[in-house]
Amino acid sequence: MPADPGIVIIGASLAGAQAARALRLDHGYDGPLTLVGDEHPLPYQRPALSKGYLLGTTEAAELDVLDPRFYAAQDVALALGAPATLLDLDGRRVKLGRNVELPFGQVLIATGARPRRLRVPGADLDGVHYLRDREDSERLGAALRAASAVVVVGAGWLGCEVAAAARALGVPTTVVDPLPTPLYHVLGDRIGGAVARLHLEHGVELLTGDGVEAVLGTRSVEAVRTVAGRRVPADLVVVAVGAVPNTELAEAAGLRVDGGIVTDGHLRTSHPAALAAGDVARHRHPRYLKPVRIEHWDNAVVHGTAAAATLLGEPVTIDHVPYFFSTQYGATLEYVGLPTTSDRVVTRGEPEEPGFTAFWLDRGVPVAALTVDSQDAGHLRSLVAAGHTADPRRLADPGVPAAELLPHAPAGAS
């Protein structure tokens, strides 16, 4: 039999590292395995980049996805700081730089995403920052400590976390977003309003319903001008207006791309030799009956593990309920589900209080939930996964344990 040409994972990301781990440890794959990455560090986790690592309370070693000894011990070849420049799927080869070529039998593309750029005058001035990788976080942390005032453009998860970090460092902070409340696309007006109050209570100036028209300054940032005509003094601007999947390599290779690399429910792309996973993949989700692209940490872990199984001919259907967490001002927010059609929001507790929970219902079925400072996220994820109607009165009743909200859960379940 011909020698196994092996598996190449393009993207030394969370999803890529999880796939390598699962191939070796879960499935016992012993063929050639190479992990390719643009960055020089070993694969690391990104959530802390806008939280503890940004504030200096989390060490670089704590970000590692796997024990650094794993790669040598499990014979995983590393090609770090070596971006892939060409993917030849029919020829089963990937080119790194100008001169290095790696053969493969199968390839997993886990190239992630990059920050969406701010397209206004002055966006290229010194003092405009984006946050995606470890070096971005280090630069931004140093800039925050030296800043007199910061404007955060975008009030999504990342923008809210950066604003919270800036306030923890005592920096006057303004957040600008064209939507009515922070996290409006995910939480809507009422619950987004609770997040707004959290930031206001910690001294953030919120300019919602407004946008950035220009960044002002000569060589470096001096102020931001909004669409409504406000002039906000600042010497630091952080742009957090979403992410763009890194699909260029896949697109040049002829793969189907549409808002991400399009895959089936097992992460298989339009070419039989290639899979895609993590932030870059737009996979068919049986729960939502459409392709979805999810940028959460949890999704990368699920994708990496599932991709390993599919690569070895043991495909599993990816139908998990998405999960996301955020920490802001010491509060832990956990969200399960996806923003979908919803005709009712039911709350348990007051939105300003610890232990608060919100449920989004679609024709009586919980499709998403948010909980703050509670231990109920696992139960809520199971509730959303069940897909059954629920009694709104029980959802709203703090006296009903979250475990007893699950279909057929007996009284007193834990």
Side-chain angles (χ1 to χ4, degrees), residues 53-65:
Y53 195 67
L54 183 62
L55 290 171
T57 58
T58 299
E59 299 295 328
E62 298 177 66
L63 304 181
D64 289 336
V65 176

Side-chain angles (χ1 to χ4, degrees), residues 84-177:
T85 55
L86 174 70
L87 177 59
D88 178 1
L89 291 171
D90 292 335
R92 302 295 202 275
R93 65 188 181 103
V94 59
K95 190 172 183 179
L96 310 182
R98 293 184 178 180
N99 301 315
V100 177
E101 287 189 0
L102 298 175
F104 61 79
Q106 297 181 91
V107 64
L108 171 63
I109 305 169
T111 46
R114 62 186 182 274
R116 180 173 286 112
R117 312 301 287 188
L118 183 64
R119 307 292 184 185
V120 300
D124 57 349
L125 288 170
D126 288 343
V128 176
H129 286 249
Y130 296 83
L131 179 54
R132 178 65 185 180
D133 60 33
R134 206 169 80 180
E135 290 186 357
D136 290 341
S137 185
E138 292 165 359
R139 285 191 295 266
L140 178 57
L144 280 170
R145 287 167 176 81
S148 61
V150 60
V151 170
V152 179
V153 185
W157 293 112
L158 180 60
C160 285
E161 289 176 353
V162 170
R167 292 301 300 136
L169 294 172
V171 184
T173 303
T174 302
V175 176
V176 183
D177 193 287

Side-chain angles (χ1 to χ4, degrees), residues 2-10 23 29 31-34 87-94 101-109 269 271-275 310-313:
D4 179 2
I7 296 170
V8 170
I9 301 172
I10 303 175
L23 284 165
Y29 175 69
L33 179 58
T34 303
L87 177 59
D88 178 1
L89 291 171
D90 292 335
R92 302 295 202 275
R93 65 188 181 103
V94 59
E101 287 189 0
L102 298 175
F104 61 79
Q106 297 181 91
V107 64
L108 171 63
I109 305 169
T269 71
H271 193 285
L275 276 70
T310 299
L311 284 164
L312 298 182

